[in-house]
Amino acid sequence: MIGIDASEQAFGLQGPASSDTRVAGALGLVQAATYAFITNDSSGRITFVNDAAEALFGYGPGAMLGQNIDVVVPERFRASHAAGLARMVRNEPSRMAGRTIEVTARRCDGSEFPAEFTLSIWRDRFGLGFGAIMRDISEWRARDAHLVRLAHHDTLTGLPNRASFEETLDARLVAGQATCVLMLDLDGFKEVNDSCGHGTGDAVLQTLAIRLPAWLGADAILARFGGDEFAVMLPGATDPLKVAAGAAALLEAFAAPFCVLGHTFHLGVSVGGAISPTQGLSAGELVGNADLALFRAKQDGKRVFRLFQPEMRSALLSRLAMQSELRRAVAAGEFVLHYQPQVALENRCINGAEALLRWRHPERGLLYPGAFLPQLEEHPLALEVGRWILDEACRQAAAWRDAGLPIRKMGDNLFTAQVRSGTLTSDVADALQRHRLSPEMLELEITETIFLKVDEPVLRPFRDLHRRGVGISFDDFGTGYASLSSLKRFPLTRLKIDRGFVRDLMTDQHDAAIVRSIIQIGNDIGLHIIAEGIETADQEARLLEMGCRQGQGFLYAKALPAAQFEDLLQGSGPRQKIAS
């Protein structure tokens, strides 16, 4: 392939000490190398290539020798390559010599590839010579590109991720380009994962990644931040009315059901927005403010749009302060239970009690649930507090029983965290056993928030507890969206008529009709009925006439500390009797 003179020129083996043996040894080493070796003279003529170089560039044996080095250079770079070679021939300094750089090389078939390139230059009796070591780094670059994509894109949907979104947003804001950011959070997505599995949930997210751009318009930039949270960048959108109109169209688009993998889902979306520059000058500030607006949208009932307002930040700070205070309250034992009597309407005899949470705040005094319960429900300590309420209610019921006070039933309001914990059955069984309380003396009260999210894992512990004799009551029935058919699925023992219907029972025919219907339905399917919020004797009489036999409310007593409730049980309270 190559003569002795060429090999000596290529590898510096010329001179008195050179020998055919040394040349042969050097040639063998170079030919065995996996790197491509190629040399050329000052005119650009190729004087040597090894087997690896011929394989790399796609030429047959000896085909590259004598050709101009331009054959391995893409055409668009040949002019600059020739100019650089001329400078080196003129002995001008070269920034390439001795350095390893990345270049684009050309194969015999015209295809191009990225190559790592190291250049050497020498002068000898043959003149100026150039040698290069090269290797294909296509796999490296593909891997780097993949890593860059992973760093900037969501692997599930292919959408930009948070880092990429905020980088693009910051660039726009630095350039002074007004932009609106919308934060989107799916409503009902957890139920998709719970009922159909995470594979179906992933398919829903991938479907949304395709649908959302069509709903948002060509200029919108969509990203997935994680979970079921998406972000949208609307370049040039500064008019709050137009932003609100666009968000309304998005909310409307979600009204249609999603059909994915043979399943039909009714999802919603909550949307929060912020507009630069008035509501944020950096990506972090603008996204953060849109997130605050999203939080308000979810607080306001979900499936709505809210635009950022400064007071939202104050509300967040107040919420964070409340979360901190709740943590301290649990540690300091500041929560107490008060008990409201439940009576038989025909004789006003006490036949049960409902345990209600109160907070003895060291600065603000006694706080009622409306001041803290929504925040407590979302607090990580909700499960711990719920278990304490259950245990304390059972302890107090057992104490009254042991004192000879015939309390028949104790009502305990469950937190969602208790229902979702997976330990409800054992928690209840442990409390009953610890205080030697019969299951029939305990009644667990659930709200519609729990009732509407019923699935088989949730139903199982309630069915088990119901079989053991524990009562299960549906609180505030009739105020929301629970269907009558769902009453068949849940193992209920009692329905509680909401105080809102009882309040206007005497003046509003619609409320009267609803109360009558609830009582009729409950009696027909074998459930006990209790009315809350009874304040007058007329309301009591009307409920009795309709067939309701149990009630609670200020007509009998407000929720009382344990000692005062005990006075009622002992008959010292006015107009109270002990149920026999």
Side-chain angles (χ1 to χ4, degrees):
M1 178 186 300
I2 184 171
I4 294 297
D5 287 346
S7 66
E8 289 177 353
Q9 178 185 358
F11 302 107
L13 300 176
Q14 67 284 359
S18 298
S19 69
D20 288 351
T21 302
R22 290 179 62 199
V23 172
L27 282 174
L29 178 64
V30 173
Q31 291 292 9
T34 56
Y35 284 54
F37 288 82
I38 184 169
T39 67
N40 62 275
D41 59 22
S42 58
S43 68
R45 181 178 64 90
I46 295 174
T47 56
F48 172 81
V49 290
N50 67 347
D51 293 344
E54 290 175 336
L56 177 63
F57 291 104
Y59 287 89
M64 296 181 70
L65 292 175
Q67 294 199 55
N68 193 285
I69 194 66
D70 277 355
V71 296
V72 301
V73 179
E75 188 172 347
R76 63 186 182 280
F77 298 134
R78 287 176 181 174
S80 60
H81 176 264
L85 181 62
R87 286 194 299 272
M88 287 184 284
V89 169
R90 293 194 299 269
N91 203 27
E92 295 178 8
S94 169
R95 291 176 296 176
M96 296 176 59
R99 298 175 57 208
T100 299
I101 61 174
E102 181 180 331
V103 298
T104 301
R106 180 182 183 274
R107 295 188 178 89
C108 179
D109 61 6
S111 62
E112 298 177 2
F113 63 95
E116 189 179 75
F117 172 90
T118 304
L119 176 68
S120 296
I121 307 173
W122 63 83
R123 290 182 183 275
D124 52 30
R125 60 190 175 90
F126 298 102
L128 187 64
F130 302 89
I133 304 173
M134 302 178 71
R135 63 171 169 171
D136 186 348
I137 58 173
S138 298
E139 289 187 7
W140 287 14
R141 286 296 159 260
R143 185 167 63 249
D144 289 347
H146 178 63
L147 292 175
V148 168
R149 180 170 178 80
L150 288 177
H152 289 82
H153 287 79
D154 171 52
T155 55
L156 177 64
T157 63
L159 294 173
N161 61 14
R162 182 171 192 142
S164 176
F165 183 88
E166 292 188 347
E167 182 180 325
T168 303
L169 178 58
D170 257 332
R172 288 191 57 82
L173 297 176
V174 168
Q177 299 170 335
T179 305
C180 173
V181 168
L182 300 179
M183 296 299 298
L184 280 58
D185 190 84
L186 301 184
D187 300 323
F189 182 72
K190 184 179 184 301
E191 285 69 27
V192 174
N193 280 334
D194 289 345
S195 61
C196 300
H198 289 276
T200 302
D202 289 348
V204 169
L205 294 174
Q206 290 167 338
T207 300
L208 278 172
I210 297 171
R211 293 191 187 185
L212 280 170
W215 293 340
L216 292 165
D219 294 336
I221 299 172
L222 177 66
R224 180 180 176 228
F225 275 21
D228 58 350
E229 187 175 42
F230 293 82
V232 181
M233 194 185 313
L234 300 175
T238 58
D239 184 345
L241 293 179
K242 291 183 178 179
V243 170
L250 188 61
L251 294 170
E252 185 177 350
F254 269 86
F258 286 79
C259 297
V260 178
L261 299 180
H263 302 281
T264 299
F265 302 108
H266 295 273
L267 296 175
V269 65
S270 298
V271 185
I275 302 172
S276 72
T278 57
Q279 296 172 349
L281 295 174
S282 68
E285 185 180 10
L286 201 60
V287 169
N289 287 341
D291 233 349
L292 285 174
L294 172 62
F295 179 73
R296 175 61 59 85
K298 296 181 79 66
Q299 277 190 320
D300 289 349
K302 302 183 179 180
R303 306 192 183 206
V304 296
F305 166 70
R306 294 291 181 264
L307 190 63
F308 173 76
Q309 301 294 332
E311 57 266 24
M312 292 178 182
R313 190 176 303 281
S314 300
L316 175 64
L317 293 176
S318 297
R319 179 173 177 271
L320 292 176
M322 174 63 79
Q323 295 280 310
S324 178
E325 285 194 82
L326 288 169
R327 189 174 290 107
R328 185 211 66 216
V330 172
E334 295 172 3
F335 288 119
V336 296
L337 292 184
H338 284 192
Y339 303 88
Q340 186 170 35
Q342 298 173 336
V343 306
L345 297 185
E346 64 269 20
N347 58 16
R348 295 188 180 178
C349 289
I350 298 174
N351 55 24
E354 179 181 1
L356 297 169
L357 187 63
R358 301 290 186 261
W359 180 3
R360 292 195 181 279
H361 195 284
E363 288 88 31
R364 298 165 60 190
L366 187 67
L367 299 182
Y368 288 82
F372 64 88
L373 198 57
Q375 291 87 348
L376 180 57
E377 278 273 13
E378 298 176 358
H379 200 285
L381 290 172
L383 178 58
E384 180 180 337
V385 175
R387 286 171 173 165
W388 174 81
I389 295 172
L390 171 65
D391 187 76
E392 178 62 15
C394 289
R395 185 201 65 77
Q396 186 61 70
W400 285 333
R401 177 206 60 198
D402 294 344
L405 301 175
I407 184 77
R408 291 182 177 177
K409 195 172 291 291
M410 177 66 75
D412 170 42
N413 293 274
L414 293 178
F415 288 159
T416 302
Q418 292 174 270
V419 176
R420 294 290 178 184
S421 68
T423 62
L424 181 61
T425 302
S426 59
D427 290 343
V428 171
D430 290 347
L432 293 174
Q433 182 179 16
R434 186 160 44 250
H435 301 292
R436 297 178 295 105
L437 201 67
S438 66
E440 292 76 13
M441 288 190 67
L442 179 64
E443 182 175 79
L444 304 177
E445 298 193 11
I446 60 170
T447 62
E448 188 176 64
T449 302
I450 297 172
F451 196 82
L452 288 177
K453 295 181 178 179
V454 169
D455 51 27
E456 190 55 38
V458 170
L459 278 173
R460 197 174 298 119
F462 283 105
R463 287 173 176 160
D464 186 26
L465 292 169
H466 182 265
R467 283 193 297 267
R468 299 184 188 192
V470 175
I472 301 172
S473 173
F474 185 176
D475 200 7
D476 301 334
F477 182 72
T479 60
Y481 302 99
S483 65
L484 295 177
S485 62
S486 58
L487 295 179
K488 296 170 56 179
R489 298 179 59 216
F490 215 100
L492 295 172
T493 54
R494 181 150 69 166
L495 295 180
K496 301 190 77 172
I497 302 174
D498 182 66
R499 67 185 69 249
F501 298 125
V502 174
R503 182 186 60 240
D504 298 324
L505 178 64
M506 308 303 295
T507 58
D508 190 315
Q509 61 179 354
H510 296 94
D511 284 350
I514 291 172
V515 170
R516 185 180 293 107
S517 298
I518 294 173
I519 294 171
Q520 184 66 49
I521 291 169
N523 289 335
D524 287 349
I525 62 177
L527 298 179
H528 298 292
I529 305 296
I530 184 170
E532 296 183 293
I534 301 174
E535 298 183 359
T536 69
D538 289 341
Q539 292 170 343
E540 179 187 64
R542 188 68 178 273
L543 287 164
L544 272 169
E545 177 190 332
M546 290 179 173
C548 181
R549 295 291 175 261
Q550 300 175 65
Q552 65 186 89
F554 288 174
L555 178 62
Y556 316 108
K558 64 179 182 179
L560 300 169
Q564 294 182 35
F565 189 89
E566 188 171 327
D567 290 341
L568 291 180
L569 291 176
Q570 291 173 337
S572 59
R575 302 175 63 198
Q576 305 299 329
K577 301 178 183 177
I578 298 177
S580 60

